Amino acid sequence: MNDHGDSTPEHGIVSKNSLPMDREPETVSLRPERLEDYIGQREVVETLKIAIEAAAFRGEPIDHVLFHGPPGLGKTTLAYIIANEMGKRLTITSGPALEKGGDLIGMLTHLEQGDVLFVDEIHRTPKSVEELLYPAMEDFAVDFVFDKGIHARSHRYRLKQFVLVGATTRVGLLSAALRDRFGIFRNLDFYSEQDLVKIANRSAVLLKVSIDNAATVELAKRSRGTPRIVNRLLRRVRDFAQVKGDGVIRKDVVEAALALEGVDAIGLTNLDRQYLKTVIEYYGGGPVGIEAIAATLQEETDTLVDVVEPYLLKIGFILRTSSGRKVSEPALKHLGYGSQGRLFA
């Protein structure tokens, strides 16, 4: 198991982390480069359009931007688009990668006027590094301290005006001091089925894949409201269609291919079902604490909170209460249990 808990195959579909398949040229080419090509998140897109246009009119960079929401909803893509729309360079890093202040300072001092610095998982930035961000974001400066004790002296280094784009799946873990320094603060929500159908059709055209309408609808239903997942599933189904069929993706091909992947009719994976069955069979349907569930499943708590729970909460299959997680009636029925956790005859 790695640091993110990606120890089992089913993590591949819903993994919050970028996978090798997500970095392949044909997958990267699916990423829209302009706001006009971006599907979904209409309020977020409109906010960015106004901010970018107004900043261009004034001849200055836009405010710092913070995106929060579950993995795979387009936070990184929007950072690329912001840089493209402004005609500036994009530098990408993540909170865990910024282990020391020097790592951050090295990046900041290489940014030119208006460049974009994207920090993924910004809530995991070490506190000592985060404190360096405060003057950088507010005053576009960093303070160096030389020597120690009575010989200590500081020097303020002026930075070029840059745009920090932060992304987080756990906005509650951000300090108020950091959160308040972002001028644009937007939540990315799960996508509608209609928007996922549009994304699947667009990606199929770019991948030169033949797919019918019923197949794109079926893909959208099983994609957990997440563009990254619809693109991953499309590629898995394409491979299946080319090897087991005539290369054309139809509804029955989608059903057969995703049955092999363990993805059911509403997008639940093996890990989702294991999570729900653990709460039902080991803890009587709940309430139970997330740490107990993670220990029983031998999974990382972060994996369950960031990857599994957001979708289960969205579709109402689990409930968060003051005393822990509970499984809902719809989840019991979907898994074939009675209302008290008994299997239907």
Side-chain angles (χ1 to χ4, degrees), residues 141-288:
V142 287
D143 297 314
F144 295 92
V145 178
F146 299 94
D147 295 329
K148 295 180 181 179
I150 61 172
H151 301 292
R153 51 198 171 89
S154 66
H155 172 71
R156 171 156 281 208
Y157 181 89
R158 290 288 170 186
L159 302 168
K160 303 283 178 60
Q161 267 193 294
F162 69 96
V163 178
L164 177 65
V165 178
T168 176
T169 55
R170 309 277 289 279
V171 71
L173 297 183
L174 274 184
S175 68
L178 179 58
R179 190 171 60 243
D180 292 345
R181 283 171 168 79
F182 287 95
I184 301 172
F185 184 88
R186 302 300 296 187
N187 175 53
L188 273 63
D189 202 357
F190 288 106
Y191 282 60
S192 68
E193 188 178 305
Q194 292 83 355
D195 283 339
L196 289 170
V197 167
K198 291 177 184 176
I199 291 169
N201 280 323
R202 177 182 179 273
S203 297
V205 170
L206 293 172
L207 292 172
K208 298 181 174 60
V209 174
S210 296
I211 186 168
D212 65 24
N213 291 333
T216 54
V217 170
E218 193 64 25
L219 269 177
K221 287 178 178 177
R222 296 172 182 243
S223 296
R224 305 167 69 89
T226 306
R228 180 188 294 165
I229 294 176
V230 81
N231 285 329
R232 286 177 181 171
L233 294 182
L234 176 62
R235 293 187 61 193
R236 300 282 175 90
V237 173
R238 176 197 61 177
D239 294 346
F240 185 92
Q242 289 173 345
V243 174
K244 297 288 189 178
D246 57 5
V248 177
I249 300 176
R250 302 180 183 86
K251 183 180 177 182
D252 61 324
V253 174
V254 173
E255 292 170 343
L258 297 189
L260 280 179
E261 298 290 341
V263 179
D264 73 13
I266 62 170
L268 297 191
T269 65
N270 292 332
L271 182 57
D272 297 318
R273 291 187 289 273
Q274 288 168 10
Y275 174 104
L276 293 168
K277 288 179 180 179
T278 294
V279 178
I280 295 166
E281 296 176 1
Y282 286 81
Y283 301 102
V288 57

